[in-house]
Amino acid sequence: IKENALKEINKYEKMDEIEKLRVKYLGKKGEITNILKGMGKLSAEERPVIGKVANEVRGEIEKAISDKKEEIKIIEKNEKLKAEVLDVTMPGKKIKIGKKHPITQMMDEVKYIFTGMGFKVAEGPEIETVFNNFDALNAPKNHPSRDMSDTFYIDENLLLRTQTSPVQIRTMKSAKPPIKIIAPGRCFRFDEPDATHSPMFHQIEGLVVDKNVTMAELKGTLDAFVKQLFGENTKTKFRPHNFPFTEPSAEVDVTCFKCKGKGCSVCKGEGWIEILGAGMVHPNVLKNCGIDPEEYSGFAFGMGVDRIAMLKYEIDDIRLLFENDMRFLNQF
Ligand code: PHE
């Protein structure tokens, strides 16, 4: 038995095989165990002799098995270390990191300028009430922007906001003047996508309401803003315009940051680019929000973030901003 056992133990190199041998010889029904169990049947003279030999053999097999197990453990450990060896001289794997989207960069820049002037950032939902998006903003019932062909309606009371101006309404209803906020966010209009139109786009709205707020402050604020955004020498021009929620209203043009007003591809040869809508808050809008227009006045402005990003980075197709092609995004 001993010779057989030692031969077998020598032959095998795996933990589970050695364990099987242990059971075969030393287990409850193992060969050695059986001999020791049968001792009772032996005569009194035989018993000590056989018992001694059997115990010795058991001891030797036990030792051989535990030695073998130790040996296997060391071999396995060495193999594992070999497999996990790390060559620190190998070239590293390049990790691709993301970048801020040009629209986010533009948003951050505009927010940074206005928060520096004391504006707080306000937000509103993209799903708005028809009341906040149109009625409270003094839009006549037959205003063309209310058309089904211009606006995404969810039902007769809800829509995807077409502008960030409803945040003006939410702010004035929930806070008392003085109010000084900007509201960045996504807007939606029923437009066929092409190089200059996207059904989803971004605006940043501004609103100031206080006692004795004048149009001179509106002009000064926007002038300071464009100088920070496009450069110290940028000039502004206010052109009369019409918005339902402001009176008087204006569109604001700036001298082209690229050709400095001489005419180039960015400003289409005109020397000026239009970047803002603005005006003095209409008394009806203040009234709709429970603010007395005899006591308070205000100004508001709104700009298309995508449009400004396109101008600044000279991007000629708005769709590029929403395709998320890394070859495009990595350029900014
Ligand atoms: N909401 C207007 C637009 O989408 C922009 C605007 C905002 C104009 C605030 C005046 C005042 O065209």
Side-chain angles (χ1 to χ4, degrees), residues 162-165 168 189 203 205-206 243 245-246 250 277-279 300-303:
T162 62
Q163 49 189 353
T164 42
S165 303
Q168 289 187 34
R189 285 181 200 176
Q203 286 190 338
E205 190 89 6
F243 297 107
F245 34 88
T246 45
F301 55 87
M303 69 193 91

Side-chain angles (χ1 to χ4, degrees), residues 88-151:
V88 292
T89 64
M90 291 267 282
K93 277 188 197 138
K94 225 183 190 170
I95 298 170
K96 282 188 188 153
I97 49 170
K99 274 194 105 174
K100 268 194 190 172
H101 192 280
I103 291 178
T104 312
Q105 291 185 37
M106 200 69 235
M107 286 262 196
D108 287 351
E109 206 177 335
V110 174
K111 276 194 242 173
Y112 178 80
I113 296 172
F114 281 110
T115 50
M117 295 191 226
F119 285 76
K120 292 265 177 312
V121 178
E123 270 174 17
E126 290 165 10
I127 295 175
E128 255 301 358
T129 59
V130 172
F131 182 82
N132 284 347
N133 194 85
F134 289 127
D135 301 316
L137 285 162
N138 200 38
K141 285 282 178 212
N142 62 355
H143 196 273
S145 63
R146 290 187 184 244
D147 229 72
M148 291 272 278
S149 59
D150 284 308
T151 297

Side-chain angles (χ1 to χ4, degrees), residues 87-234:
D87 181 356
V88 292
T89 64
M90 291 267 282
K93 277 188 197 138
K94 225 183 190 170
I95 298 170
K96 282 188 188 153
I97 49 170
K99 274 194 105 174
K100 268 194 190 172
H101 192 280
I103 291 178
T104 312
Q105 291 185 37
M106 200 69 235
M107 286 262 196
D108 287 351
E109 206 177 335
V110 174
K111 276 194 242 173
Y112 178 80
I113 296 172
F114 281 110
T115 50
M117 295 191 226
F119 285 76
K120 292 265 177 312
V121 178
E123 270 174 17
E126 290 165 10
I127 295 175
E128 255 301 358
T129 59
V130 172
F131 182 82
N132 284 347
N133 194 85
F134 289 127
D135 301 316
L137 285 162
N138 200 38
K141 285 282 178 212
N142 62 355
H143 196 273
S145 63
R146 290 187 184 244
D147 229 72
M148 291 272 278
S149 59
D150 284 308
T151 297
F152 291 110
Y153 285 92
I154 289 167
D155 58 32
E156 59 196 54
N157 297 316
L158 289 176
L159 44 68
L160 297 184
R161 67 177 176 194
T162 62
Q163 49 189 353
T164 42
S165 303
V167 184
Q168 289 187 34
I169 303 301
R170 288 176 176 272
T171 307
M172 287 191 279
K173 276 178 155 176
S174 64
K176 285 203 172 74
I179 290 169
K180 197 171 178 183
I181 55 120
I182 51 165
R186 260 196 285 253
C187 307
F188 306 85
R189 285 181 200 176
F190 205 128
D191 278 327
E192 197 68 46
D194 63 22
T196 54
H197 295 86
S198 164
M200 194 266 298
F201 58 100
H202 302 78
Q203 286 190 338
I204 292 187
E205 190 89 6
L207 173 71
V208 173
V209 182
D210 203 349
K211 287 177 179 155
N212 306 316
V213 173
T214 67
M215 191 144 184
E217 283 167 77
L218 169 64
K219 287 181 108 177
T221 302
L222 294 181
D223 205 53
F225 164 66
V226 300
K227 282 191 160 72
Q228 278 194 63
L229 189 64
F230 292 121
E232 216 21 64
N233 296 322
T234 313

Side-chain angles (χ1 to χ4, degrees), residues 78-85:
N78 283 340
E79 272 168 8
K80 201 171 163 223
L81 286 176
K82 222 196 238 165
E84 287 174 0
V85 108

Side-chain angles (χ1 to χ4, degrees), residues 32-83:
I32 298 288
T33 319
N34 279 341
I35 290 172
L36 289 168
K37 268 190 202 158
M39 296 281 284
K41 286 177 202 142
L42 297 175
S43 66
E45 298 90 65
E46 281 176 316
R47 219 176 283 156
V49 184
I50 303 284
K52 189 170 172 253
V53 173
N55 272 325
E56 273 171 18
V57 170
R58 183 175 62 179
E60 281 181 56
I61 295 177
E62 267 174 2
K63 185 166 184 309
I65 285 177
S66 75
D67 285 354
K68 187 74 182 190
K69 280 188 173 173
E70 278 308 307
E71 200 181 297
I72 293 174
K73 262 191 213 156
I74 291 172
I75 292 173
E76 281 180 351
K77 194 173 153 197
N78 283 340
E79 272 168 8
K80 201 171 163 223
L81 286 176
K82 222 196 238 165

